[in-house]
Amino acid sequence: MEIAINGKKTETSARSIQELAEELSLPERGVAIAIAQRMIPRSEWAATTLQENDSIVIIKAACGG
């Protein structure tokens, strides 16, 4: 299916946010994901299904100053 990740069209076979995180090799900590401008708690990633044309924002924490 086709989704948008941070504004970029992307093809994925993932059916849930958890599967998408694994597909993208996202770290286990320091990552936030939103669908349609709604933050999804990590505890809901496995149960949150993706739909064709979803708009997803992935934010990774960065250290620095």
Side-chain angles (χ1 to χ4, degrees):
M1 95 177 84
E2 187 174 274
I3 58 175
I5 300 176
N6 295 348
K8 181 180 176 187
K9 295 287 184 184
T10 305
E11 284 289 329
T12 184
S13 60
R15 295 290 172 209
S16 69
I17 293 180
Q18 183 65 45
E19 288 179 16
L20 181 65
E22 292 168 5
E23 187 177 289
L24 298 174
S25 299
L26 296 177
E28 299 232 354
R29 300 171 74 100
V31 175
I33 298 180
I35 297 179
Q37 300 179 359
R38 181 181 161 266
M39 295 301 294
I40 309 297
R42 185 176 290 271
S43 61
E44 296 178 17
W45 285 11
T48 303
T49 57
L50 297 174
Q51 304 294 323
E52 185 79 23
N53 297 316
D54 271 346
S55 178
I56 297 169
V57 175
I58 299 173
I59 301 167
K60 296 179 188 175
C63 296

Short mmCIF file of all heavy atoms in Angstrom, two decimals:
data_model
loop_
_atom_site.label_atom_id
_atom_site.label_comp_id
_atom_site.label_asym_id
_atom_site.label_seq_id
_atom_site.Cartn_x
_atom_site.Cartn_y
_atom_site.Cartn_z
N MET A 1 0.85 -1.18 0.00
CA MET A 1 0.00 0.00 0.00
C MET A 1 0.89 1.23 0.00
O MET A 1 2.06 1.17 0.38
CB MET A 1 -0.95 -0.04 1.19
CG MET A 1 -0.50 0.70 2.43
SD MET A 1 -1.69 0.68 3.76
CE MET A 1 -1.30 -0.87 4.49
N GLU A 2 0.33 2.35 -0.40
CA GLU A 2 1.08 3.61 -0.43
C GLU A 2 0.63 4.49 0.73
O GLU A 2 -0.56 4.69 0.94
CB GLU A 2 0.86 4.34 -1.74
CG GLU A 2 1.75 5.57 -1.87
CD GLU A 2 1.65 6.21 -3.24
OE1 GLU A 2 2.36 5.77 -4.15
OE2 GLU A 2 0.83 7.14 -3.39
N ILE A 3 1.63 5.00 1.47
CA ILE A 3 1.39 5.93 2.56
C ILE A 3 2.37 7.08 2.41
O ILE A 3 3.29 7.01 1.59
CB ILE A 3 1.58 5.26 3.95
CG1 ILE A 3 2.98 4.68 4.08
CG2 ILE A 3 0.51 4.19 4.18
CD1 ILE A 3 3.30 4.11 5.45
N ALA A 4 2.17 8.14 3.16
CA ALA A 4 3.13 9.25 3.17
C ALA A 4 3.82 9.26 4.53
O ALA A 4 3.14 9.29 5.57
CB ALA A 4 2.42 10.57 2.92
N ILE A 5 5.15 9.22 4.51
CA ILE A 5 5.93 9.30 5.74
C ILE A 5 6.71 10.60 5.70
O ILE A 5 7.53 10.80 4.80
CB ILE A 5 6.88 8.11 5.90
CG1 ILE A 5 6.08 6.80 5.95
CG2 ILE A 5 7.74 8.28 7.16
CD1 ILE A 5 6.95 5.56 6.02
N ASN A 6 6.42 11.48 6.64
CA ASN A 6 7.07 12.80 6.70
C ASN A 6 6.98 13.51 5.35
O ASN A 6 7.94 14.10 4.87
CB ASN A 6 8.51 12.68 7.18
CG ASN A 6 8.60 12.19 8.61
OD1 ASN A 6 7.60 12.14 9.32
ND2 ASN A 6 9.78 11.83 9.04
N GLY A 7 5.82 13.38 4.70
CA GLY A 7 5.57 14.08 3.45
C GLY A 7 6.06 13.37 2.20
O GLY A 7 5.83 13.84 1.09
N LYS A 8 6.70 12.21 2.34
CA LYS A 8 7.23 11.48 1.19
C LYS A 8 6.41 10.22 0.95
O LYS A 8 6.23 9.40 1.85
CB LYS A 8 8.69 11.10 1.45
CG LYS A 8 9.33 10.37 0.31
CD LYS A 8 10.77 10.02 0.64
CE LYS A 8 11.36 9.18 -0.49
NZ LYS A 8 12.69 8.68 -0.14
N LYS A 9 5.91 10.05 -0.28
CA LYS A 9 5.14 8.85 -0.64
C LYS A 9 6.04 7.63 -0.51
O LYS A 9 7.17 7.62 -0.97
CB LYS A 9 4.61 8.95 -2.07
CG LYS A 9 3.61 10.05 -2.27
CD LYS A 9 2.30 9.68 -1.63
CE LYS A 9 1.26 10.76 -1.94
NZ LYS A 9 0.01 10.52 -1.29
N THR A 10 5.51 6.60 0.14
CA THR A 10 6.29 5.40 0.44
C THR A 10 5.41 4.16 0.26
O THR A 10 4.26 4.17 0.67
CB THR A 10 6.79 5.43 1.91
OG1 THR A 10 7.52 6.64 2.11
CG2 THR A 10 7.67 4.25 2.22
N GLU A 11 5.97 3.13 -0.35
CA GLU A 11 5.28 1.84 -0.46
C GLU A 11 5.66 0.99 0.74
O GLU A 11 6.83 0.95 1.13
CB GLU A 11 5.69 1.12 -1.74
CG GLU A 11 5.07 1.67 -3.00
CD GLU A 11 3.59 1.38 -3.12
OE1 GLU A 11 3.11 0.35 -2.62
OE2 GLU A 11 2.89 2.22 -3.72
N THR A 12 4.68 0.32 1.32
CA THR A 12 4.94 -0.55 2.47
C THR A 12 4.04 -1.77 2.43
O THR A 12 2.95 -1.72 1.87
CB THR A 12 4.73 0.21 3.80
OG1 THR A 12 5.08 -0.66 4.88
CG2 THR A 12 3.30 0.68 3.97
N SER A 13 4.52 -2.84 3.02
CA SER A 13 3.68 -4.03 3.19
C SER A 13 3.21 -4.13 4.64
O SER A 13 2.47 -5.05 4.99
CB SER A 13 4.46 -5.30 2.80
OG SER A 13 5.61 -5.43 3.61
N ALA A 14 3.63 -3.18 5.49
CA ALA A 14 3.23 -3.17 6.90
C ALA A 14 1.73 -2.94 7.03
O ALA A 14 1.15 -2.16 6.28
CB ALA A 14 4.00 -2.09 7.65
N ARG A 15 1.14 -3.61 8.00
CA ARG A 15 -0.29 -3.45 8.25
C ARG A 15 -0.57 -2.71 9.55
O ARG A 15 -1.70 -2.31 9.80
CB ARG A 15 -0.97 -4.82 8.29
CG ARG A 15 -0.91 -5.53 6.96
CD ARG A 15 -1.81 -4.84 5.97
NE ARG A 15 -1.62 -5.40 4.63
CZ ARG A 15 -1.80 -4.70 3.54
NH1 ARG A 15 -2.14 -3.45 3.60
NH2 ARG A 15 -1.63 -5.26 2.37
N SER A 16 0.47 -2.53 10.38
CA SER A 16 0.30 -1.81 11.64
C SER A 16 1.49 -0.87 11.83
O SER A 16 2.51 -0.99 11.14
CB SER A 16 0.23 -2.77 12.83
OG SER A 16 1.49 -3.39 13.03
N ILE A 17 1.37 0.04 12.78
CA ILE A 17 2.49 0.93 13.07
C ILE A 17 3.68 0.12 13.56
O ILE A 17 4.82 0.40 13.21
CB ILE A 17 2.09 2.00 14.12
CG1 ILE A 17 1.07 2.94 13.51
CG2 ILE A 17 3.32 2.78 14.57
CD1 ILE A 17 0.61 4.02 14.47
N GLN A 18 3.44 -0.92 14.37
CA GLN A 18 4.53 -1.76 14.86
C GLN A 18 5.29 -2.39 13.70
O GLN A 18 6.51 -2.38 13.67
CB GLN A 18 3.99 -2.83 15.80
CG GLN A 18 5.08 -3.71 16.40
CD GLN A 18 6.01 -2.94 17.32
OE1 GLN A 18 5.55 -2.16 18.13
NE2 GLN A 18 7.29 -3.13 17.16
N GLU A 19 4.56 -2.93 12.73
CA GLU A 19 5.20 -3.55 11.57
C GLU A 19 5.98 -2.51 10.77
O GLU A 19 7.07 -2.79 10.27
CB GLU A 19 4.16 -4.22 10.68
CG GLU A 19 3.59 -5.49 11.26
CD GLU A 19 2.54 -6.12 10.37
OE1 GLU A 19 2.45 -5.77 9.16
OE2 GLU A 19 1.79 -6.97 10.87
N LEU A 20 5.44 -1.30 10.66
CA LEU A 20 6.12 -0.23 9.94
C LEU A 20 7.42 0.14 10.65
O LEU A 20 8.46 0.31 10.01
CB LEU A 20 5.22 0.99 9.80
CG LEU A 20 5.83 2.17 9.05
CD1 LEU A 20 6.09 1.81 7.59
CD2 LEU A 20 4.92 3.39 9.14
N ALA A 21 7.37 0.26 11.97
CA ALA A 21 8.57 0.60 12.75
C ALA A 21 9.64 -0.47 12.55
O ALA A 21 10.83 -0.14 12.38
CB ALA A 21 8.21 0.74 14.23
N GLU A 22 9.24 -1.73 12.53
CA GLU A 22 10.19 -2.81 12.29
C GLU A 22 10.74 -2.77 10.87
O GLU A 22 11.94 -2.94 10.65
CB GLU A 22 9.53 -4.16 12.59
CG GLU A 22 9.23 -4.36 14.06
CD GLU A 22 8.33 -5.54 14.35
OE1 GLU A 22 7.99 -6.30 13.41
OE2 GLU A 22 7.95 -5.72 15.52
N GLU A 23 9.86 -2.51 9.91
CA GLU A 23 10.26 -2.43 8.50
C GLU A 23 11.28 -1.31 8.29
O GLU A 23 12.23 -1.45 7.51
CB GLU A 23 9.01 -2.18 7.64
CG GLU A 23 9.25 -2.24 6.15
CD GLU A 23 7.94 -2.06 5.40
OE1 GLU A 23 7.11 -2.99 5.43
OE2 GLU A 23 7.74 -0.99 4.80
N LEU A 24 11.11 -0.21 9.00
CA LEU A 24 12.01 0.94 8.87
C LEU A 24 13.21 0.86 9.82
O LEU A 24 14.02 1.78 9.85
CB LEU A 24 11.23 2.24 9.14
CG LEU A 24 10.09 2.55 8.18
CD1 LEU A 24 9.32 3.77 8.64
CD2 LEU A 24 10.62 2.74 6.75
N SER A 25 13.28 -0.21 10.59
CA SER A 25 14.36 -0.41 11.57
C SER A 25 14.49 0.77 12.53
O SER A 25 15.59 1.24 12.83
CB SER A 25 15.70 -0.65 10.85
OG SER A 25 15.64 -1.80 10.05
N LEU A 26 13.35 1.24 13.02
CA LEU A 26 13.36 2.35 13.97
C LEU A 26 13.85 1.86 15.32
O LEU A 26 13.58 0.72 15.70
CB LEU A 26 11.95 2.94 14.11
CG LEU A 26 11.37 3.59 12.85
CD1 LEU A 26 9.94 4.06 13.12
CD2 LEU A 26 12.24 4.74 12.38
N PRO A 27 14.57 2.71 16.07
CA PRO A 27 15.04 2.30 17.39
C PRO A 27 13.88 2.07 18.35
O PRO A 27 12.79 2.60 18.17
CB PRO A 27 15.91 3.48 17.83
CG PRO A 27 15.50 4.62 17.00
CD PRO A 27 14.95 4.07 15.73
N GLU A 28 14.13 1.29 19.38
CA GLU A 28 13.09 0.96 20.36
C GLU A 28 12.73 2.13 21.25
O GLU A 28 11.67 2.16 21.86
CB GLU A 28 13.54 -0.22 21.22
CG GLU A 28 13.79 -1.47 20.41
CD GLU A 28 13.07 -2.66 20.95
OE1 GLU A 28 12.45 -2.58 22.01
OE2 GLU A 28 13.13 -3.70 20.28
N ARG A 29 13.62 3.11 21.36
CA ARG A 29 13.38 4.27 22.22
C ARG A 29 13.63 5.55 21.42
O ARG A 29 14.37 5.56 20.45
CB ARG A 29 14.32 4.22 23.41
CG ARG A 29 14.15 2.98 24.26
CD ARG A 29 15.22 2.86 25.30
NE ARG A 29 15.04 3.80 26.40
CZ ARG A 29 14.51 3.51 27.56
NH1 ARG A 29 14.10 2.29 27.79
NH2 ARG A 29 14.39 4.41 28.50
N GLY A 30 13.00 6.63 21.88
CA GLY A 30 13.26 7.93 21.28
C GLY A 30 12.56 8.19 19.96
O GLY A 30 13.00 9.01 19.17
N VAL A 31 11.45 7.49 19.72
CA VAL A 31 10.70 7.66 18.47
C VAL A 31 9.23 7.92 18.80
O VAL A 31 8.66 7.25 19.66
CB VAL A 31 10.82 6.40 17.57
CG1 VAL A 31 9.95 6.53 16.34
CG2 VAL A 31 12.26 6.16 17.18
N ALA A 32 8.64 8.88 18.11
CA ALA A 32 7.21 9.15 18.23
C ALA A 32 6.60 9.05 16.83
O ALA A 32 7.22 9.45 15.84
CB ALA A 32 6.96 10.53 18.81
N ILE A 33 5.39 8.52 16.76
CA ILE A 33 4.71 8.37 15.48
C ILE A 33 3.30 8.94 15.59
O ILE A 33 2.59 8.68 16.57
CB ILE A 33 4.66 6.89 15.04
CG1 ILE A 33 6.08 6.36 14.84
CG2 ILE A 33 3.83 6.73 13.76
CD1 ILE A 33 6.16 4.91 14.41
N ALA A 34 2.91 9.69 14.57
CA ALA A 34 1.56 10.26 14.50
C ALA A 34 0.93 9.86 13.17
O ALA A 34 1.61 9.78 12.15
CB ALA A 34 1.61 11.77 14.63
N ILE A 35 -0.36 9.62 13.21
CA ILE A 35 -1.14 9.40 11.99
C ILE A 35 -2.19 10.49 11.95
O ILE A 35 -2.93 10.68 12.92
CB ILE A 35 -1.82 8.02 11.98
CG1 ILE A 35 -0.78 6.89 12.00
CG2 ILE A 35 -2.72 7.88 10.75
CD1 ILE A 35 -1.38 5.51 12.03
N ALA A 36 -2.26 11.19 10.82
CA ALA A 36 -3.23 12.28 10.65
C ALA A 36 -3.17 13.25 11.83
O ALA A 36 -4.19 13.64 12.38
CB ALA A 36 -4.63 11.72 10.46
N GLN A 37 -1.96 13.62 12.21
CA GLN A 37 -1.69 14.61 13.26
C GLN A 37 -2.14 14.14 14.65
O GLN A 37 -2.33 14.95 15.54
CB GLN A 37 -2.30 15.95 12.91
CG GLN A 37 -1.75 16.50 11.62
CD GLN A 37 -2.38 17.82 11.24
OE1 GLN A 37 -3.25 18.34 11.93
NE2 GLN A 37 -1.92 18.39 10.14
N ARG A 38 -2.29 12.84 14.85
CA ARG A 38 -2.65 12.30 16.16
C ARG A 38 -1.54 11.36 16.61
O ARG A 38 -1.25 10.35 15.97
CB ARG A 38 -3.96 11.52 16.08
CG ARG A 38 -4.39 10.94 17.41
CD ARG A 38 -5.70 10.14 17.28
NE ARG A 38 -5.83 9.26 18.42
CZ ARG A 38 -5.45 7.99 18.46
NH1 ARG A 38 -4.92 7.44 17.39
NH2 ARG A 38 -5.61 7.27 19.55
N MET A 39 -0.90 11.72 17.73
CA MET A 39 0.17 10.90 18.27
C MET A 39 -0.39 9.55 18.73
O MET A 39 -1.45 9.51 19.36
CB MET A 39 0.85 11.59 19.46
CG MET A 39 1.58 12.87 19.10
SD MET A 39 2.89 12.66 17.88
CE MET A 39 4.04 11.68 18.77
N ILE A 40 0.32 8.50 18.40
CA ILE A 40 -0.10 7.15 18.78
C ILE A 40 0.86 6.64 19.85
O ILE A 40 2.06 6.50 19.58
CB ILE A 40 -0.08 6.19 17.56
CG1 ILE A 40 -0.84 6.78 16.37
CG2 ILE A 40 -0.60 4.82 17.96
CD1 ILE A 40 -2.31 7.02 16.59
N PRO A 41 0.36 6.35 21.05
CA PRO A 41 1.24 5.81 22.10
C PRO A 41 1.86 4.49 21.66
O PRO A 41 1.20 3.68 20.98
CB PRO A 41 0.30 5.60 23.28
CG PRO A 41 -0.89 6.43 23.00
CD PRO A 41 -1.02 6.51 21.51
N ARG A 42 3.10 4.26 22.04
CA ARG A 42 3.79 3.03 21.66
C ARG A 42 2.99 1.79 22.06
O ARG A 42 2.98 0.78 21.34
CB ARG A 42 5.17 2.98 22.29
CG ARG A 42 5.99 1.78 21.84
CD ARG A 42 7.39 1.81 22.42
NE ARG A 42 8.21 2.85 21.85
CZ ARG A 42 8.96 2.71 20.76
NH1 ARG A 42 8.98 1.57 20.12
NH2 ARG A 42 9.69 3.72 20.31
N SER A 43 2.28 1.86 23.16
CA SER A 43 1.48 0.72 23.62
C SER A 43 0.36 0.37 22.64
O SER A 43 -0.20 -0.73 22.70
CB SER A 43 0.89 1.00 25.00
OG SER A 43 0.03 2.13 24.96
N GLU A 44 0.03 1.28 21.72
CA GLU A 44 -1.04 1.04 20.73
C GLU A 44 -0.51 0.74 19.33
O GLU A 44 -1.30 0.51 18.42
CB GLU A 44 -1.96 2.27 20.68
CG GLU A 44 -2.70 2.53 21.97
CD GLU A 44 -3.57 3.77 21.91
OE1 GLU A 44 -3.86 4.27 20.79
OE2 GLU A 44 -3.94 4.27 22.98
N TRP A 45 0.81 0.75 19.15
CA TRP A 45 1.38 0.55 17.82
C TRP A 45 0.93 -0.76 17.18
O TRP A 45 0.57 -0.78 16.00
CB TRP A 45 2.90 0.61 17.86
CG TRP A 45 3.46 1.99 18.01
CD1 TRP A 45 2.78 3.14 18.32
CD2 TRP A 45 4.82 2.37 17.88
NE1 TRP A 45 3.64 4.20 18.39
CE2 TRP A 45 4.91 3.76 18.12
CE3 TRP A 45 5.98 1.68 17.59
CZ2 TRP A 45 6.11 4.46 18.06
CZ3 TRP A 45 7.17 2.37 17.54
CH2 TRP A 45 7.23 3.75 17.77
N ALA A 46 0.96 -1.86 17.91
CA ALA A 46 0.62 -3.17 17.33
C ALA A 46 -0.85 -3.24 16.92
O ALA A 46 -1.20 -3.89 15.94
CB ALA A 46 0.95 -4.29 18.30
N ALA A 47 -1.71 -2.54 17.64
CA ALA A 47 -3.15 -2.59 17.37
C ALA A 47 -3.62 -1.51 16.40
O ALA A 47 -4.77 -1.54 15.96
CB ALA A 47 -3.92 -2.45 18.68
N THR A 48 -2.75 -0.57 16.05
CA THR A 48 -3.14 0.53 15.15
C THR A 48 -2.82 0.15 13.72
O THR A 48 -1.66 0.04 13.32
CB THR A 48 -2.41 1.84 15.53
OG1 THR A 48 -2.69 2.14 16.90
CG2 THR A 48 -2.87 2.99 14.65
N THR A 49 -3.87 -0.07 12.92
CA THR A 49 -3.68 -0.50 11.54
C THR A 49 -3.45 0.70 10.62
O THR A 49 -3.96 1.79 10.87
CB THR A 49 -4.89 -1.30 11.04
OG1 THR A 49 -6.06 -0.51 11.18
CG2 THR A 49 -5.05 -2.59 11.82
N LEU A 50 -2.70 0.43 9.59
CA LEU A 50 -2.43 1.45 8.57
C LEU A 50 -3.46 1.32 7.45
O LEU A 50 -3.93 0.22 7.15
CB LEU A 50 -1.03 1.27 8.00
CG LEU A 50 0.12 1.44 8.99
CD1 LEU A 50 1.45 1.09 8.31
CD2 LEU A 50 0.17 2.86 9.53
N GLN A 51 -3.78 2.44 6.84
CA GLN A 51 -4.71 2.48 5.72
C GLN A 51 -4.02 3.12 4.52
O GLN A 51 -3.12 3.94 4.67
CB GLN A 51 -5.95 3.31 6.08
CG GLN A 51 -6.68 2.84 7.33
CD GLN A 51 -7.31 1.48 7.16
OE1 GLN A 51 -7.82 1.14 6.11
NE2 GLN A 51 -7.26 0.68 8.21
N GLU A 52 -4.46 2.76 3.34
CA GLU A 52 -3.95 3.37 2.11
C GLU A 52 -4.02 4.90 2.23
O GLU A 52 -5.01 5.45 2.71
CB GLU A 52 -4.80 2.90 0.92
CG GLU A 52 -4.32 3.37 -0.42
CD GLU A 52 -3.14 2.56 -0.95
OE1 GLU A 52 -2.94 1.41 -0.54
OE2 GLU A 52 -2.42 3.11 -1.79
N ASN A 53 -2.96 5.57 1.84
CA ASN A 53 -2.84 7.03 1.83
C ASN A 53 -2.78 7.68 3.22
O ASN A 53 -2.96 8.89 3.32
CB ASN A 53 -3.96 7.68 1.00
CG ASN A 53 -3.89 7.26 -0.45
OD1 ASN A 53 -2.82 7.24 -1.05
ND2 ASN A 53 -5.02 6.90 -1.02
N ASP A 54 -2.53 6.90 4.27
CA ASP A 54 -2.32 7.51 5.59
C ASP A 54 -1.16 8.49 5.52
O ASP A 54 -0.18 8.28 4.80
CB ASP A 54 -2.00 6.45 6.65
CG ASP A 54 -3.23 5.88 7.32
OD1 ASP A 54 -4.32 6.47 7.19
OD2 ASP A 54 -3.09 4.84 8.00
N SER A 55 -1.28 9.56 6.28
CA SER A 55 -0.20 10.54 6.41
C SER A 55 0.44 10.34 7.79
O SER A 55 -0.19 10.57 8.82
CB SER A 55 -0.77 11.96 6.29
OG SER A 55 0.27 12.90 6.46
N ILE A 56 1.69 9.90 7.78
CA ILE A 56 2.39 9.53 9.00
C ILE A 56 3.58 10.46 9.21
O ILE A 56 4.30 10.79 8.28
CB ILE A 56 2.88 8.07 8.90
CG1 ILE A 56 1.65 7.16 8.77
CG2 ILE A 56 3.74 7.69 10.09
CD1 ILE A 56 1.97 5.76 8.42
N VAL A 57 3.74 10.87 10.47
CA VAL A 57 4.91 11.68 10.85
C VAL A 57 5.69 10.86 11.86
O VAL A 57 5.13 10.37 12.84
CB VAL A 57 4.49 13.03 11.45
CG1 VAL A 57 5.71 13.79 11.96
CG2 VAL A 57 3.75 13.87 10.43
N ILE A 58 7.00 10.71 11.57
CA ILE A 58 7.89 10.00 12.48
C ILE A 58 8.90 11.01 13.00
O ILE A 58 9.56 11.69 12.23
CB ILE A 58 8.61 8.83 11.79
CG1 ILE A 58 7.58 7.82 11.27
CG2 ILE A 58 9.62 8.18 12.73
CD1 ILE A 58 8.17 6.71 10.44
N ILE A 59 9.00 11.10 14.32
CA ILE A 59 9.92 12.03 14.96
C ILE A 59 10.91 11.23 15.77
O ILE A 59 10.51 10.39 16.59
CB ILE A 59 9.17 13.03 15.88
CG1 ILE A 59 8.15 13.80 15.06
CG2 ILE A 59 10.15 13.97 16.58
CD1 ILE A 59 7.15 14.57 15.90
N LYS A 60 12.19 11.48 15.54
CA LYS A 60 13.24 10.82 16.31
C LYS A 60 13.89 11.84 17.24
O LYS A 60 14.23 12.93 16.81
CB LYS A 60 14.30 10.23 15.38
CG LYS A 60 13.77 9.14 14.47
CD LYS A 60 14.86 8.63 13.56
CE LYS A 60 14.29 7.69 12.51
NZ LYS A 60 15.30 7.28 11.55
N ALA A 61 14.07 11.45 18.49
CA ALA A 61 14.71 12.32 19.46
C ALA A 61 16.20 12.46 19.09
O ALA A 61 16.82 11.52 18.58
CB ALA A 61 14.59 11.75 20.87
N ALA A 62 16.73 13.65 19.32
CA ALA A 62 18.14 13.90 19.03
C ALA A 62 18.79 14.56 20.25
O ALA A 62 18.16 15.38 20.93
CB ALA A 62 18.29 14.81 17.82
N CYS A 63 20.01 14.17 20.52
CA CYS A 63 20.75 14.78 21.61
C CYS A 63 21.59 15.92 21.05
O CYS A 63 21.97 15.93 19.91
CB CYS A 63 21.67 13.75 22.26
SG CYS A 63 20.79 12.40 23.03
N GLY A 64 21.86 16.86 21.90
CA GLY A 64 22.71 17.96 21.46
C GLY A 64 22.36 19.23 22.20
O GLY A 64 21.49 19.24 23.07
N GLY A 65 23.01 20.27 21.82
CA GLY A 65 22.73 21.49 22.55
C GLY A 65 23.02 22.72 21.81
O GLY A 65 23.11 22.96 20.71
#
